[in-house]
Amino acid sequence: MRSMTGYGTAAAPLAEGQVIIELKAVNHRFLDIRVRAPTELSDHSAALEQIIRSRVLRGRIEATVKLEGMNCQPRLDIERAASAYAQLCAVRDRVRPEEPLPLTILNCVPDLFTRIQDFDPVAASNAVETACTQACEELSTMRQREGAALKRELTRLIEEIRAHEAKIRGQVPQILNRYRNRLQERVRTWLPELDIKLDPGRLEQELALFADRSDVAEELQRLHSHGEQFLELIETESAPVGRKLEFLTQEMAREANTLGSKCPDTLITPSVIAIKASVERIREQVQNIL
């Protein structure tokens, strides 16, 4: 089991410097790759994205490409600067025609200066591929470490749910006795005042109906079964399991809600609330699982 959160970085030599690629991954329903590369390597962005797609299955990946050690002289994009200044002058003429417009205003325009260096295309392609492949491997290693930590936490939460399941099973017989005692107390209190005689079988019939309505054995069994499947899935080493875990978490939440509605006795209410809280924490965690 692997997390979708991770970080990887690697470098490869190019000319007199090196290419550095950083990969940052966070959770996402699908695979969303965003590449930021300098102008000198912008032609290699598509190849870099393809390498990532071949090694990463899911998550939002921010890939940043940097050049270090390059002795590149900055060059002014004269056409871009002239166009930007002309447009700023047009705005000035419409708003405040008499206002002087110094050239220093171009400092606010981004990307007027570029650092251009010609690389051998094959060497650049090889450097990008090498750095990206190594960064992906480092990202995968970190995702595995994060996945191991998530596995420990999720296992602990499932064990908490199991403990409350067992507690509820032990309390179910007490709930029926508590209901019987409440009915008998009401009979003793109300019927003499109303001068009504109660058929002894009527009380037992009411108890039977209550026992049937509040029977939560099936819900507890399904909740336990979902927990078993959950634990089996988080043992998976390589295949993506995040979406399956999300489905099982939804089912566990459904069973916990049914427990509370079918048997609203205060005796088991704390355990039901604790189960719901654990399921909610599980839901938050599985969103980060690949």
Side-chain angles (χ1 to χ4, degrees), residues 1-3 144 147-148 150-151 154 234 236-237 241 245 289:
M1 188 185 76
R2 289 170 290 170
S3 169
Q144 289 176 350
L150 283 173
K151 175 183 173 181
L154 291 170
I234 64 176
T236 304
E237 294 295 333
V241 295
L245 293 178
I289 296 176

Side-chain angles (χ1 to χ4, degrees), residues 19-36:
V19 176
I20 299 175
I21 296 180
E22 293 182 349
L23 302 179
K24 297 179 182 178
V26 296
N27 63 311
H28 194 271
R29 290 187 61 191
F30 307 103
L31 178 60
D32 180 20
I33 302 175
R34 303 179 181 183
V35 178
R36 290 185 297 175

Side-chain angles (χ1 to χ4, degrees), residues 39-100:
T39 305
E40 296 89 339
L41 296 176
S42 59
D43 292 343
H44 300 277
S45 296
L48 187 149
E49 181 176 341
Q50 188 60 38
I51 294 171
I52 297 173
R53 286 189 180 277
S54 67
R55 289 167 171 79
V56 179
L57 298 176
R58 189 176 167 208
R60 173 169 289 157
I61 313 297
E62 292 186 2
T64 303
V65 184
K66 300 177 182 178
L67 286 172
E68 284 192 357
M70 304 293 182
N71 186 22
C72 303
Q73 296 297 324
R75 298 180 184 178
L76 174 64
D77 189 336
I78 297 177
E79 292 185 1
R80 179 179 172 84
S83 175
Y85 188 76
Q87 293 180 58
L88 291 171
C89 287
V91 174
R92 185 274 317 272
D93 293 341
R94 175 177 293 186
V95 179
R96 300 183 66 179
E98 304 301 326
E99 183 75 17

Side-chain angles (χ1 to χ4, degrees), residues 174-188:
Q174 301 177 47
I175 293 172
L176 186 59
N177 291 332
R178 282 157 58 91
Y179 187 69
R180 176 186 285 107
N181 293 336
R182 287 199 298 270
L183 282 181
Q184 291 174 342
E185 180 62 29
R186 291 170 184 172
V187 168
R188 286 193 298 268

Side-chain angles (χ1 to χ4, degrees), residues 97-137:
E98 304 301 326
E99 183 75 17
L101 193 65
L103 286 175
T104 54
I105 196 172
L106 291 177
N107 290 331
C108 301
V109 181
D111 300 329
L112 289 184
F113 287 90
T114 57
R115 302 174 67 87
I116 302 297
Q117 178 167 332
D118 293 329
F119 299 111
D120 174 39
V122 176
S125 178
N126 291 337
V128 168
E129 180 178 356
T130 299
C132 186
T133 300
Q134 293 175 0
C136 286
E137 292 175 355

